[in-house]
């Protein structure tokens, strides 16, 4: 089932779930929602921009899942509308979290797709690209481990950052597999299309050499075409 818009009976979009979770804690204005999510690094969980967040807030309010709690003005700043979650919104939040935790939908990670088609690239290029990716993954893992340790040191209950533990285990597992795979590639332990004497070397031509273009048909002058038509009729 596709993600529905805020207020429908089906699953909410991830950003809508995140916003409902924030205002379930306390009333907030959209700017505060964005800042709180960024401070908690929840932008790693849901991709969003300020514009999409404000738009989602409007749709949630329009569908009765959140409501105006207050309108505040601080100094010369523009008025800020503070929103609170409604009873309907709490019900939608609970229903969506339950559904997400229970179901195991088929996912389509880009990494799996790229790995399945990596043989289309020269071996050394694959080694270079995976090396860059692994370094980026290690940097991300380091950031999450640091944030996890910081939360523990501050005495924040683990229930508020369960995603960190899951992400750490997942990243470590992927990094370990990719690093081991990279070692085997570098040591020649995985047959590749551009290996000398590879049984599949004939396939390399289809990936490395563009197919020749068919020669363009010669243009036929209108007068020639009419003459041909007359000959055919005879």
């Amino acid at each position: 089932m596709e993600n529905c818009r805020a207020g429908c009976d089906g699953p909410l979009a991830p950003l809508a779930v995140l916003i409902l979770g924030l205002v379930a804690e306390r009333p907030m204005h959209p700017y505060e929602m964005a800042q709180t999510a960024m401070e908690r690094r929840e932008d790693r969980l849901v991709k969003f921009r300020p514009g999409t967040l404000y738009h989602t807030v409007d749709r949630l309010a329009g569908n009765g899942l959140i409501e105006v709690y207050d309108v505040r003005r601080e100094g010369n700043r523009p008025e800020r509308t503070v929103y609170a979650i409604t009873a309907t919104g709490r019900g939608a939040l609970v229903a969506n979290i339950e559904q997400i935790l229970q179901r195991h939908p088929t996912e389509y990670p880009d990494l799996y797709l790229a790995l399945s088609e990596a043989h289309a690239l020269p071996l050394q290029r694959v080694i270079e690209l995976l090396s860059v990716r692994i370094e980026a993954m290690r940097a991300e893992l380091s950031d999450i481990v640091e944030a996890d340790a910081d939360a523990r040191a501050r005495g924040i209950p683990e229930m508020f950052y369960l995603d960190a533990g899951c992400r750490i285990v997942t990243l470590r597992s992927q990094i370990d597999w990719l690093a081991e795979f990279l070692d085997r590639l570098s040591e020649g332990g995985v047959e590749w299309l551009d290996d000398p004497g590879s049984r599949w070397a004939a396939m390399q031509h289809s990936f490395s050499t563009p197919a020749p273009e068919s020669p363009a048909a010669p243009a036929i002058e209108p007068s020639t075409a009419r003459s041909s038509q007359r000959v055919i009729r005879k």
Side-chain angles (χ1 to χ4, degrees):
M1 182 184 298
E2 297 181 355
N3 284 341
C4 69
R5 297 192 173 187
C8 68
D9 295 330
L12 296 171
L15 181 54
V17 175
L18 175 61
I19 292 171
L20 288 177
L22 289 170
V23 294
E25 296 179 22
R26 66 179 187 276
M28 296 186 189
H29 52 72
Y31 179 77
E32 184 181 7
M33 297 175 198
Q35 291 301 304
T36 301
M38 295 293 287
E39 289 171 3
R40 296 176 178 176
R41 303 188 181 186
E42 290 179 332
D43 55 318
R44 292 180 181 271
L45 308 178
V46 179
K47 183 179 180 180
F48 68 89
R49 295 180 180 178
T52 56
L53 186 143
Y54 279 83
H55 182 61
T56 303
V57 167
D58 288 341
R59 289 195 286 110
L60 287 169
N63 286 287
L65 301 187
I66 60 176
E67 63 186 0
V68 175
Y69 176 80
D70 192 12
V71 177
R72 299 172 183 169
R73 180 189 293 274
E74 298 177 4
N76 295 325
R77 295 180 179 177
E79 290 183 344
R80 287 178 172 172
T81 303
V82 179
Y83 294 91
I85 194 168
T86 64
T88 301
R90 287 187 183 277
L93 176 61
V94 169
N96 276 265
I97 293 174
E98 287 181 344
Q99 185 178 52
I100 294 170
L101 286 175
Q102 176 180 276
R103 66 189 176 93
H104 180 64
T106 301
E107 298 179 345
Y108 304 91
D110 291 343
L111 174 59
Y112 297 167
L113 173 62
L115 287 172
S116 72
E117 300 297 335
H119 56 268
L121 302 178
L123 176 62
Q124 287 304 314
R125 183 58 175 159
V126 174
I127 292 173
E128 293 170 5
L129 296 172
L130 285 180
S131 298
V132 172
R133 183 187 186 102
I134 290 173
E135 286 306 307
M137 293 174 73
R138 284 173 173 159
E140 181 183 7
L141 175 61
S142 178
D143 287 345
I144 299 174
V145 169
E146 181 181 347
D148 179 80
D150 178 66
R152 292 177 185 275
R154 291 161 55 194
I156 300 175
E158 185 181 0
M159 63 179 173
F160 292 122
Y161 53 94
L162 289 174
D163 59 285
C166 186
R167 289 173 68 85
I168 288 171
V169 172
T170 302
L171 269 173
R172 280 178 176 163
S173 178
Q174 287 191 335
I175 290 171
D176 289 346
W177 187 90
L178 287 171
E180 187 271 339
F181 174 60
L182 187 60
D183 287 342
R184 290 195 293 127
L185 283 179
S186 301
E187 296 168 1
V190 180
E191 184 177 359
W192 215 254
L193 293 183
D194 55 4
D195 287 348
S198 169
R199 295 175 301 163
W200 309 96
M203 294 178 60
Q204 179 68 13
H205 178 77
S206 63
F207 291 121
S208 60
T209 306
E213 296 183 0
S214 301
I220 301 177
E221 294 294 333
S223 58
T224 304
R226 287 194 294 272
S227 298
S228 300
Q229 291 172 356
R230 286 196 294 271
V231 171
I232 292 172
R233 292 194 186 97
K234 293 179 181 179

